[in-house]
């Protein structure tokens, strides 16, 4: 019922910035919480950041605190991941995910977008 699509990935140098987009379509009113995950080569998928669909109660993983943020548009159809002070350790495929309950698993996932940070 909900479709998510990430975009905006690319190659940047360490210390640079990049903004990822997550376009939501379908029954977006069902989304309670939106999140970003990432998976680096040879590593497990990791939580990055999350907030409610309306941008409240943000949460960030320790490695990205103070560097990443999750702005969104007023139409509630686009969510962003603003990444500043990027490090080579941030290199990964980034996924957008949506959850239709307060707690539990994320049910809706995008296909991912590649972010590569060079030193």
């Amino acid at each position: 019922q909900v479709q998510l699509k990430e975009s905006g990935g690319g190659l940047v140098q360490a210390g640079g910035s990049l903004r990822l987009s997550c376009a939501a379509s379908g029954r977006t009113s069902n989304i309670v919480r939106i999140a970003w995950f990432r998976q680096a080569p040879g590593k497990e998928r990791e939580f990055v950041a999350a907030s409610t669909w309306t941008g409240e109660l943000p949460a960030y993983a320790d490695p990205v605190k103070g560097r990443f943020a999750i702005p969104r548009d007023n139409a509630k159809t686009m969510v962003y991941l603003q990444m500043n002070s990027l490090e080579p350790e941030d290199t990964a495929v980034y996924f957008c995910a949506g959850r239709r309950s307060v707690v539990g698993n994320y049910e809706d996932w995008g296909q991912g977008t590649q972010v590569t940070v060079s030193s």
Side-chain angles (χ1 to χ4, degrees):
Q1 291 184 320
V2 177
Q3 295 82 45
L4 303 174
K5 185 177 181 180
E6 307 92 339
S7 62
L11 174 65
V12 298
Q13 288 191 315
S17 298
L18 197 65
R19 174 173 287 196
L20 305 182
S21 299
C22 176
S25 60
R27 296 182 61 85
T28 57
S29 61
N30 290 342
I31 299 176
V32 172
R33 195 161 180 84
I34 195 79
W36 289 91
F37 292 81
R38 67 186 182 186
Q39 186 168 19
K43 303 294 184 180
E44 296 284 333
R45 184 186 63 192
E46 297 179 334
F47 169 80
V48 177
S51 71
T52 67
W53 184 237
T54 54
E56 299 176 298
L57 300 176
Y60 297 92
D62 287 339
V64 307
K65 286 182 178 178
R67 300 189 297 119
F68 290 10
I70 315 178
R72 59 176 302 280
D73 69 355
N74 294 329
K76 303 182 179 66
T77 60
M78 188 76 72
V79 177
Y80 305 94
L81 180 65
Q82 179 64 46
M83 304 182 293
N84 300 319
S85 301
L86 284 164
E87 305 169 353
E89 291 75 17
D90 296 318
T91 295
V93 176
Y94 284 72
F95 299 89
C96 179
R99 194 167 73 197
R100 298 193 286 271
S101 60
V102 177
V103 297
N105 296 325
Y106 286 87
E107 302 98 343
D108 306 302
W109 292 79
Q111 294 184 233
T113 185
Q114 176 71 47
V115 172
T116 302
V117 184
S118 64
S119 59

